[in-house]
């Protein structure tokens, strides 16, 4: 049975709150002494939760698979539902996260500007926050 | 493969199949893992699907072997070359290729993932915490096997290797996290406590050193945040 708009928005806000909490953690990881592996991983999950918040609020179906979420991000951007296309960022962060999962962080990770990474994420969270708020007003 | 070769025409590139596909133990959800080794940094496009490519130079890879990295050691032992060039053959025939991986490193890797899993669990993101817990358990299993001079194979095979080494409970946890669709918060909490105890048991100094370093970093960050807040 399809969820009511009220339930969808409640769920969207819960995902967004989780995304913000993960962003908080990533921000602390970006401060010196930096923890790049943890920062990248938390940013990745935060992006995913924010994307799920947007999709849930809009009533768009989503799956748990990471690469399908990147497709979803592209689709929502192409449909003008989201202003920012985060599909490439999701793919890149997922790869970096997987590189770390083998054990040693790769060279690419040390070249990432973590401050930029969390700032970009913050802007996306604000964008999704505005989207969910506008859906609540409709 | 054609894409990698044409984007890096002036490099000597080797492409090695690694992971469960290389061991023929993969399932429908398994990623296809490739290792790209070249004499200098190679350009490899990222793919939004179940293909994961790890790119390293010959020098970086050899340094990893020398440092006792189990991932590099796994690749030289069990990787299936798809495209072979001289740099890869040199690596495989080098003295570094015979170095037994340092299992203490796996304890630190496991501790990192375990603490990250706990942080994600605190945010209520069960799926993310579960994924990180799987990495933590996997690193712990590798540490235990390497310590017992058993080389960990692919994840599905590690479950059997753990059982053969009388680590039934860890084998069950690894199996559950690898193949069950859902895990509850309380189950993840139980796994967290068990894995933490196991890490402390097998290498208390390494675990303690890692946790102390994290606490030291946290203190430094607190001072950073108070500096940000001051007028």
């Amino acid at each position: 049975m399809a969820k009511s708009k009220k339930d969808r928005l409640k769920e969207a806000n819960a995902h967004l709150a989780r995304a913000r909490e993960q962003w908080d953690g990533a921000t602390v990881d970006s401060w010196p002494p930096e923890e790049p592996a943890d920062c990248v991983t938390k940013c990745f999950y935060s992006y995913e939760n924010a994307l799920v918040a947007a999709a849930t609020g809009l009533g768009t179906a989503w799956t748990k698979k990471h690469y399908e979420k990147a497709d979803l991000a592209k689709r929502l951007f192409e449909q003008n539902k989201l202003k920012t296309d985060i599909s490439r960022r999701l793919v890149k962060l997922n790869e970096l996260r997987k590189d770390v999962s083998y054990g040693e962080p790769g060279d690419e990770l040390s070249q990432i500007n973590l401050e930029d990474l969390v700032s970009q994420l913050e802007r996306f969270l604000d964008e999704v926050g505005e989207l969910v708020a506008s859906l609540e007003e409709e | 493969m054609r894409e990698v070769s044409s984007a890096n025409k002036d490099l000597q590139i080797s492409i090695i199949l690694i992971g469960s596909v290389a061991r023929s133990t993969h399932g429908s959800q398994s990623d296809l893992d490739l290792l790209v080794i070249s004499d200098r940094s190679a350009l490899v496009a990222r793919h939004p699907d179940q293909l994961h490519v790890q790119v390293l130079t010959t020098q970086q890879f050899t340094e990893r072997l020398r440092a006792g990295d189990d991932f590099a050691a796994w690749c030289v032992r069990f990787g299936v070359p798809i495209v072979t060039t001289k740099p890869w053959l040199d690596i495989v025939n080098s003295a570094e290729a015979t170095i037994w991986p340092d299992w203490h490193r796996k304890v630190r890797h496991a501790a990192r993932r375990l603490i990250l899993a706990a942080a994600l669990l605190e945010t209520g993101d069960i799926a993310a915490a579960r994924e990180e817990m799987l990495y933590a358990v996997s690193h712990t299993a590798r540490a235990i096997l390497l310590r017992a001079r058993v080389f960990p194979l692919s994840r599905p095979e590690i479950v059997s290797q753990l059982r053969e080494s009388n680590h039934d409970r860890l084998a069950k946890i690894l199996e559950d996290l690898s193949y069950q669709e859902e895990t509850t918060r309380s189950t993840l909490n139980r796994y967290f406590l068990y894995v933490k105890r196991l890490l402390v048991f097998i290498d208390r100094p390494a675990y303690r050193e890692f946790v102390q370093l994290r606490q030291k970093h946290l203190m430094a960050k607190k001072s950073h945040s108070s500096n940000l807040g001051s007028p």
Side-chain angles (χ1 to χ4, degrees), chain A residues 18-63:
Chain A
R18 191 170 294 160
R20 287 196 193 285
E21 210 176 324
Q22 287 164 343
W23 170 80
D24 273 345
T27 304
V28 175
D29 291 332
S30 74
W31 292 341
E34 296 177 349
E35 319 268 5
D38 290 14
C39 183
V40 160
T41 306
K42 286 175 194 165
C43 282
F44 171 72
Y45 289 123
S46 176
Y47 266 117
E48 279 205 342
N49 273 308
L51 177 71
V52 167
T56 306
L58 291 162
T60 305
W62 54 275
T63 67

Side-chain angles (χ1 to χ4, degrees), chain B residues 85-105:
Chain B
T85 53
K86 189 175 176 296
W88 179 250
L89 293 174
D90 289 345
I91 288 172
V92 172
N93 295 317
S94 68
E96 284 88 351
T98 61
I99 294 173
W100 188 258
D102 175 9
W103 62 268
H104 299 280
R105 288 164 69 99

Side-chain angles (χ1 to χ4, degrees), chain A residues 18 22 28 31 33 35 38 45 49 64 66-67 95 97-102 104 107-108, chain B residues 31 33 46 48 50 52 54 60 64 105 109 112-113 125 131-132 139 182 214 217 221 224:
Chain A
R18 191 170 294 160
Q22 287 164 343
V28 175
W31 292 341
E35 319 268 5
D38 290 14
Y45 289 123
N49 273 308
K64 286 181 179 175
H66 297 308
Y67 60 93
E95 287 286 307
R97 186 184 69 95
K98 282 202 240 171
D99 284 353
V100 176
S101 72
Y102 287 119
E104 296 304 315
D107 254 22
E108 204 177 339
Chain B
D31 283 357
D33 294 300
R46 295 191 177 276
Q50 285 176 285
H52 178 232
Q54 180 99 318
Q60 287 167 337
R64 279 192 173 200
R105 288 164 69 99
H109 295 156
R112 172 181 287 279
R113 305 315 281 203
D125 196 339
E131 218 168 313
E132 293 306 314
H139 286 309
E182 305 284 338
R214 291 303 291 253
H217 283 189
K221 284 169 198 290
H224 178 84

Side-chain angles (χ1 to χ4, degrees), chain B residues 123-176:
Chain B
T123 70
D125 196 339
I126 309 282
R130 185 182 186 284
E131 218 168 313
E132 293 306 314
M133 185 65 78
L134 175 58
Y135 290 133
V137 172
S138 196
H139 286 309
T140 306
R142 287 183 163 88
I144 285 171
L145 292 171
L146 287 169
R147 183 171 172 253
R149 304 293 291 182
V150 176
F151 204 102
L153 301 171
S154 64
R155 199 182 284 159
E157 293 167 292
I158 289 175
V159 173
S160 311
Q161 289 182 300
L162 285 172
R163 290 210 166 102
E164 282 159 19
S165 309
N166 296 320
H167 285 282
D168 288 350
R169 185 156 178 203
L170 193 64
K172 177 79 171 67
I173 292 174
L174 183 59
E175 197 171 41
D176 286 354

Side-chain angles (χ1 to χ4, degrees), chain A residues 1-2 5 9 24 31 38 48 56 77 84 94 113 122:
Chain A
M1 199 174 70
K5 184 184 171 188
L9 291 174
D24 273 345
W31 292 341
D38 290 14
E48 279 205 342
T56 306
F77 171 72
T84 314
N94 193 27
N113 184 325
E122 186 181 18

